[in-house]
Amino acid sequence: METQKKELSMVPLARSMCWHCQSDIGGEYFCGQCVKVQPLSKDIDYFTCLGLPRKLSIDTASLENKFYELSRAFHPDFYEGKTEMEQAVSLANSAVLNQAYRTLKDPIQRVAYLLQLEAGAAKDIPGKAPADLFEAILEIQEHLEEFQTTKAGNDTTSSTRAADSLRSARKTLESKRAALESRLAELFQIWDRLVDKHSHDQAHSDQKEQTLKEMRGLLSERTYVANMLGNVAEALE
């Protein structure tokens, strides 16, 4: 328990006084007087929640270990037989930790969440067709329409031809998605180096802003490509 208290002492609390005995809790998630569990701040961000800086390159094994270490302190199973308030706090804290872990362990969700924090981007970044795939996308849409029409009309020959075209298109889309994710990985490294600099000059701020802008654009294109892949996969089922 002492280790858990130490690990949780740097995470923002919802209040400065214990909800039960009104003692000053000084950043500890267990009151030093009555030992009641304390609620996480509703304004806590997922990086802070798991004791991480706002970086994009994360050791997923370490992230998992940290998550399990913290979740043991709040797991509702440990609060059976406790007061309703303690059970409610543990349940709410566990929910925040679970969502933080699910978000940060996935690199795409992680960067989307960072953009939301840093650039105030919408939670769901709308898809935008990659300019270099514009003509290919038009062809894919035609193949999708042809496949659905010929399949509904039991035109086996035409539907088989359209299906072959869609399988080829799927490879093109998968290749584009891989390229977008590769560039995102490069930008992760760039962003992390900028975070490490701890600089506040204008050039540094401009670099961070440009990196965020490029990542948002790449995510938008990836969303579009992923949706197209989903449409192709659904058609070929």
Side-chain angles (χ1 to χ4, degrees):
M1 181 65 73
E2 289 301 321
T3 300
Q4 291 172 348
K5 287 181 180 180
K6 183 178 180 181
E7 291 293 339
L8 291 167
S9 64
M10 300 303 291
V11 185
L13 295 170
R15 48 189 297 165
S16 60
M17 294 189 301
C18 172
W19 58 266
H20 180 257
C21 69
Q22 307 305 309
S23 298
D24 182 0
I25 46 182
E28 295 286 349
Y29 268 77
F30 296 91
C31 176
Q33 298 299 315
C34 65
V35 203
K36 300 294 186 182
V37 65
Q38 302 299 310
L40 293 163
S41 170
K42 64 181 178 62
D43 297 321
I44 190 172
D45 71 77
Y46 295 159
F47 291 95
T48 302
C49 182
L50 286 161
L52 299 170
R54 288 188 185 181
K55 293 185 178 182
L56 290 169
S57 299
I58 292 177
D59 182 335
T60 53
S62 296
L63 176 67
E64 183 175 350
N65 290 336
K66 183 71 173 180
F67 165 69
Y68 286 125
E69 184 179 351
L70 295 178
S71 63
R72 282 194 295 272
F74 298 135
H75 200 287
D77 288 352
F78 298 141
Y79 293 86
E80 290 184 5
K82 300 289 186 178
T83 65
E84 289 187 6
M85 182 62 177
E86 287 174 283
Q87 291 180 24
V89 170
S90 72
L91 188 63
N93 287 359
S94 291
V96 173
L97 280 171
N98 289 334
Q99 184 59 46
Y101 176 64
R102 284 195 297 268
T103 299
L104 298 188
K105 74 176 182 178
D106 180 88
I108 299 303
Q109 290 189 48
R110 188 189 313 145
V111 66
Y113 181 68
L114 178 81
L115 284 166
Q116 182 183 345
L117 292 175
E118 295 285 345
K123 183 177 180 181
D124 297 317
I125 296 176
K128 178 182 178 181
D132 60 337
L133 283 187
F134 183 73
E135 292 185 4
I137 287 171
L138 291 178
E139 290 182 3
I140 293 170
Q141 291 172 337
E142 291 176 0
H143 294 321
L144 280 169
E145 293 176 4
E146 179 185 1
F147 179 72
Q148 292 165 350
T149 300
T150 55
K151 186 176 180 181
N154 294 316
D155 185 343
T156 304
T157 301
S158 296
S159 64
T160 298
R161 183 176 62 250
D164 289 339
S165 296
L166 287 177
R167 292 187 185 95
S168 177
R170 180 165 57 189
K171 293 180 181 179
T172 299
L173 291 171
E174 288 173 343
S175 178
K176 182 60 178 179
R177 181 175 62 183
L180 291 169
E181 292 176 354
S182 177
R183 178 54 183 163
L184 274 172
E186 292 175 356
L187 290 172
F188 282 12
Q189 300 296 324
I190 293 173
W191 173 260
D192 291 352
R193 287 196 294 271
L194 290 170
V195 170
D196 284 337
K197 283 185 177 180
H198 301 292
S199 175
H200 298 289
D201 62 34
Q202 189 59 47
H204 182 261
S205 297
D206 290 345
Q207 282 184 292
K208 291 183 73 174
E209 183 178 349
Q210 183 58 40
T211 302
L212 291 169
K213 182 179 179 181
E214 184 176 351
M215 287 193 294
R216 192 182 193 285
L218 290 170
L219 275 185
S220 180
E221 292 186 0
R222 186 192 177 280
T223 297
Y224 189 94
V225 170
N227 289 338
M228 287 294 295
L229 278 167
N231 293 338
V232 171
E234 182 179 358
L236 292 174
E237 286 180 353

